[in-house]
Amino acid sequence: HLFQSENWTPKMFASGEEPIYEKIIFNDNEIGHFLIIKKKINFLPFYKMKITFGPSINYNSIANVDFTVNFIKGLAKKHKSISIQIHPFTWGNKNNEINSVFLKSGFKKVPYYIYEATMLIDLRKSVEEIFKKFENRGKEAVRQSERRGITANKVNITKETFDQFYK
């Protein structure tokens, strides 16, 4: 695995991505670290955050895991992030106690790869015309989401709805 350091050059990131290196201090001891990639969401005053290959902590301590998860959620709120994508080293383990810390904190294990791409979509076209232009894996991700009952709705973002998101 590749572990990040605070010297990892910002040139490694795409335009608009901001690297944030965080040390995790618990009971006056550094218990780990991670690198957040923060990206502004177009046309909204919010961000999305991604933590890849980490956080690097001692996963043998449930207290460390619990503290770290809450620390990450606090950072997301501080940075006005409306989503956190995290790739902890634990999903491959059979340690349900560790995984349950993430799950109880509102994280969801995604059993498939989330397709990420930047697309410019002409919304004057029909849904069928737009969908026809998707790559096969993008089409499959949409179909899989439909089968799972995942929907998207427009929501007016207010301070109350933003705060409710974190509860």
Side-chain angles (χ1 to χ4, degrees):
H1 290 288
L2 172 68
F3 293 93
Q4 306 91 355
S5 73
E6 58 190 314
N7 298 323
W8 203 21
T9 176
K11 292 179 183 177
M12 300 292 291
F13 302 99
S15 175
E17 291 182 339
E18 176 186 347
I20 302 170
Y21 180 81
E22 288 288 341
K23 292 181 180 176
I24 308 163
I25 309 296
F26 180 49
N27 292 335
D28 296 323
N29 295 314
E30 183 179 335
I31 62 167
H33 62 272
F34 58 90
L35 181 71
I36 297 171
I37 301 169
K38 176 179 152 183
K39 186 167 184 169
K40 177 131 178 22
I41 298 173
N42 292 338
F43 311 111
L44 292 174
F46 302 109
Y47 297 83
K48 62 181 180 176
M49 293 170 55
K50 181 170 29 175
I51 301 172
T52 56
F53 302 111
S56 298
I57 61 170
N58 177 358
Y59 285 98
N60 292 327
S61 166
I62 296 301
N64 285 356
V65 175
D66 188 53
F67 180 84
T68 301
V69 167
N70 288 309
F71 182 75
I72 291 168
K73 288 178 71 173
L75 281 173
K77 190 170 186 176
K78 173 183 167 187
H79 289 279
K80 295 185 178 179
S81 177
I82 60 172
S83 72
I84 310 168
Q85 182 180 354
I86 183 170
H87 302 275
F89 295 124
T90 64
W91 291 133
N93 295 341
K94 299 297 182 200
N95 189 331
N96 292 328
E97 189 176 14
I98 293 172
N99 293 340
S100 71
V101 172
F102 284 94
L103 296 171
K104 287 178 183 175
S105 295
F107 287 90
K108 293 179 175 48
K109 182 177 180 186
V110 180
Y112 59 93
Y113 175 76
I114 297 175
Y115 181 69
E116 292 182 348
T118 302
M119 299 179 73
L120 179 62
I121 300 173
D122 184 353
L123 297 177
R124 297 172 292 184
K125 295 182 178 182
S126 71
V127 172
E128 292 77 22
E129 288 175 301
I130 293 170
F131 190 72
K132 189 188 286 186
K133 298 267 184 185
F134 281 26
E135 292 181 10
N136 286 340
R137 60 185 175 169
K139 289 177 187 177
E140 182 53 34
V142 170
R143 289 185 191 111
Q144 192 172 48
S145 297
E146 288 174 338
R147 287 191 297 270
R148 291 173 180 215
I150 297 172
T151 60
N153 299 304
K154 183 177 179 180
V155 176
N156 290 327
I157 300 174
T158 64
K159 181 180 180 344
E160 291 78 28
T161 57
F162 185 74
D163 289 343
Q164 183 180 13
F165 175 81
Y166 284 97
K167 289 185 180 180

